């Protein structure tokens, strides 16, 4: 018998073809647009960069700045001076917000920071070392939780708040940013002043530092805090590894000390490039592994 295709089936077939063609063309267009967007994003990498100065403020203090950092919102910055003062400064107008002293009457003689800047280690003239953190403390408050003097601030504006600043967020909250300074208990690392120091975090999350004193004593110190889960008591342990070191003939105390990687190697460097590398992978002893000229 003869058979004919109903018109409804033909219309359905034509509709399906249109959707298939449209979907294919739409996919091609979408891929092309993604490619164009990626090309537009990557293209500036092959062009020259521009550096534009936004603001310039003079940090007066009468002493050398040895470390500094800014908060993640780019509104505050702290500066650590050689005499042990730390100053908190607004970045929009250079106004000093707060100034503290790390330890009254005891200025650091050596200092170092971790690569990410979260930890700082300080050596002092009495041979002690302190490990601490210098950063920022951020909190949020509603408009009725701040003084009336700053409630009229508009989003993005900054006002003084206690020992920090308050900045209004786009949602109308007040973001409070203050200086956070924490110093650990003193560690007696030498019988004379600390001349050079460097810091490292070990794979076990223990903290370690290497220090050389004014008398030339060199050592590696590992610190670890242990908390008793039953009593909550925290014990602080320090292990010392003496590093045999005698300055080469005709050379005085080195100018630089670098505790490399995860504390496996220790480098002493002199201004002319003369370098001694110590192998500290053995937990019981450390020894000089090689000497070389860093700048032949």
């Amino acid at each position: 018998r003869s058979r004919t295709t109903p018109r409804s089936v033909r219309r359905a077939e034509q509709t399906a073809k249109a959707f298939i063609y449209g979907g294919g063309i739409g996919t091609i267009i979408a891929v092309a647009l993604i490619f164009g967007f990626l090309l537009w994003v990557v293209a500036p990498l092959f062009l020259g960069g521009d550096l534009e100065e936004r603001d310039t403020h003079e940090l007066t203090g009468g002493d050398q700045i040895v470390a500094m950092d800014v908060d993640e919102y780019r509104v505050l910055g702290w500066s650590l001076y050689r005499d042990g003062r730390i100053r908190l400064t607004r970045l929009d107008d250079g106004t000093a917000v707060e100034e503290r002293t790390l330890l009254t009457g005891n200025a650091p003689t050596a200092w170092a920071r971790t690569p990410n800047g979260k930890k700082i280690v300080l050596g002092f003239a009495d041979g002690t070392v302190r490990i601490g953190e210098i950063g920022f403390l951020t909190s949020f408050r509603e408009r009725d939780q701040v003084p009336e003097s700053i409630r009229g601030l508009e989003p993005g504006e900054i006002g003084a708040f206690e020992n920090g600043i308050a900045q209004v967020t786009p949602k109308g909250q007040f973001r409070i940013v203050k200086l956070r300074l924490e110093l650990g208990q003193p560690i007696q690392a030498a019988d004379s002043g600390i001349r050079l120091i460097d810091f490292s975090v070990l794979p076990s999350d223990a903290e370690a530092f290497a220090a050389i004193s004014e008398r030339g004593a060199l050592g590696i110190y590992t610190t670890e805090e242990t908390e008793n889960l039953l009593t909550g008591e925290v014990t602080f342990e320090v292990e010392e590894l003496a590093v045999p070191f005698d300055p080469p003939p005709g050379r005085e105390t080195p100018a630089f000390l670098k505790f490399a990687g995860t504390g496996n190697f220790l480098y002493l460097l002199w201004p002319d490039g003369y370098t001694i590398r110590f192998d500290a992978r053995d937990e019981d002893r450390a020894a000089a592994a090689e000497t070389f000229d860093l700048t032949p």
Side-chain angles (χ1 to χ4, degrees):
R1 62 184 181 179
S2 60
R3 297 180 179 180
T4 58
T5 302
R7 293 183 179 180
S8 60
V9 174
R10 293 181 178 179
R11 285 196 295 267
E13 181 181 7
Q14 293 173 354
T15 303
K17 284 184 178 181
F19 274 110
I20 293 173
Y21 282 122
I25 295 174
T27 301
I28 295 175
I29 294 175
V31 172
L33 290 176
I34 293 175
F35 176 78
F37 173 75
L38 294 178
L39 184 63
W40 174 69
V41 172
V42 174
L45 296 177
F46 300 95
L47 305 177
D50 295 325
L51 182 63
E52 182 178 348
E53 182 179 295
R54 190 179 68 176
D55 295 305
T56 301
H57 306 291
E58 182 178 356
L59 296 179
T60 58
D63 205 349
Q64 180 182 355
I65 295 176
V66 298
M68 62 191 311
D69 200 0
V70 299
D71 76 301
E72 60 179 320
Y73 301 103
R74 303 295 188 266
V75 294
L76 281 179
W78 61 260
S79 306
L80 176 62
Y81 292 82
R82 183 182 291 274
D83 59 3
R85 290 178 298 112
I86 182 168
R87 175 177 292 184
L88 191 63
T89 306
R90 286 178 52 167
L91 299 182
D92 58 342
D93 58 7
T95 303
V97 177
E98 183 188 9
E99 185 171 303
R100 302 187 196 178
T101 301
L102 291 177
L103 292 174
T104 304
N106 195 7
T109 57
W111 46 83
R113 297 174 66 190
T114 53
N116 59 14
K118 294 182 178 180
K119 289 279 189 175
I120 189 169
V121 59
L122 304 169
F124 297 90
D126 58 359
T128 60
V129 172
R130 289 178 181 259
I131 300 174
E133 295 186 31
I134 304 178
F136 299 92
L137 184 63
T138 304
S139 60
F140 293 87
R141 299 191 183 185
E142 299 299 331
R143 190 171 297 272
D144 58 354
Q145 297 175 326
V146 299
E148 294 184 1
S149 59
I150 62 173
R151 290 182 183 177
L153 294 177
E154 297 295 331
E157 293 183 341
I158 300 175
F161 182 83
E162 297 177 355
N163 292 328
I165 60 97
Q167 185 180 33
V168 185
T169 67
K171 295 184 178 181
Q173 286 184 310
F174 283 75
R175 181 170 52 236
I176 312 300
V177 185
K178 299 181 180 180
L179 177 68
R180 180 172 61 86
L181 173 61
E182 298 177 0
L183 287 181
Q185 57 184 303
I187 302 171
Q188 194 66 46
D191 57 359
S192 60
I194 304 298
R195 181 181 179 89
L196 298 172
I197 197 168
D198 201 11
F199 186 76
S200 180
V201 178
L202 306 183
S204 61
D205 290 335
E207 298 172 340
F209 65 88
I212 186 170
S213 68
E214 293 288 351
R215 297 181 181 178
L218 179 62
I220 298 175
Y221 304 82
T222 303
T223 67
E224 189 169 6
E225 289 186 0
T226 305
E227 182 179 359
N228 190 313
L229 298 180
L230 297 178
T231 63
E233 181 182 1
V234 178
T235 58
F236 186 76
E237 298 179 356
V238 180
E239 295 183 1
E240 177 183 359
L241 176 63
V243 181
F245 166 67
D246 290 319
R251 295 183 181 275
E252 298 181 354
T253 306
F256 307 98
L257 180 150
K258 178 62 180 175
F259 203 23
T262 55
N264 293 330
F265 300 102
L266 181 65
Y267 295 84
L268 294 180
L269 302 94
W270 279 259
D272 62 353
Y274 183 81
T275 305
I276 302 178
R277 180 176 68 88
F278 294 89
D279 190 340
R281 289 176 291 182
D282 191 336
E283 296 181 356
D284 298 324
R285 62 184 298 271
E290 64 173 331
T291 61
F292 57 90
D293 187 0
L294 189 64
T295 56

